Amino acid sequence: ADKEAVADAKDKLTITDFTNQDIDLPSEIGENVSISWESNNTDIITNDGKVTRPVGADTEVTLIATLTKGNA
């Protein structure tokens, strides 16, 4: 049941692919599935979604969401 809940939550999880403002990164989704976030460039987007956009330049940042519930 935990694996199915995580799979369902993953399918429902969406965030914007372009932003110049802070992102609301949920810490939970679906049936009590926890989400932790990791940014590959915390100078631009922190792990809690705060955006600091460099002047005059777009920058690509990867956010990784790790979804967990129970043993899944």
Side-chain angles (χ1 to χ4, degrees):
D2 289 346
K3 284 185 180 182
E4 290 83 11
V6 169
D8 288 345
K10 180 183 173 189
D11 290 341
K12 293 176 185 171
L13 183 62
T14 60
I15 61 169
T16 184
D17 60 355
F18 179 84
T19 189
N20 59 5
Q21 57 191 356
D22 294 351
I23 304 169
D24 181 24
L25 299 176
S27 59
E28 191 174 282
I29 190 171
E31 298 177 28
N32 299 315
V33 176
S34 297
I35 307 172
S36 61
W37 295 91
E38 185 177 348
S39 170
N40 74 336
N41 188 341
T42 55
D43 290 338
I44 305 299
I45 302 178
T46 64
N47 293 335
D48 62 357
K50 181 168 174 41
V51 174
T52 304
R53 189 166 182 240
V55 176
D58 289 340
T59 302
E60 186 171 312
V61 177
T62 300
L63 287 172
I64 298 172
T66 302
L67 286 75
T68 56
K69 179 178 181 179
N71 294 324

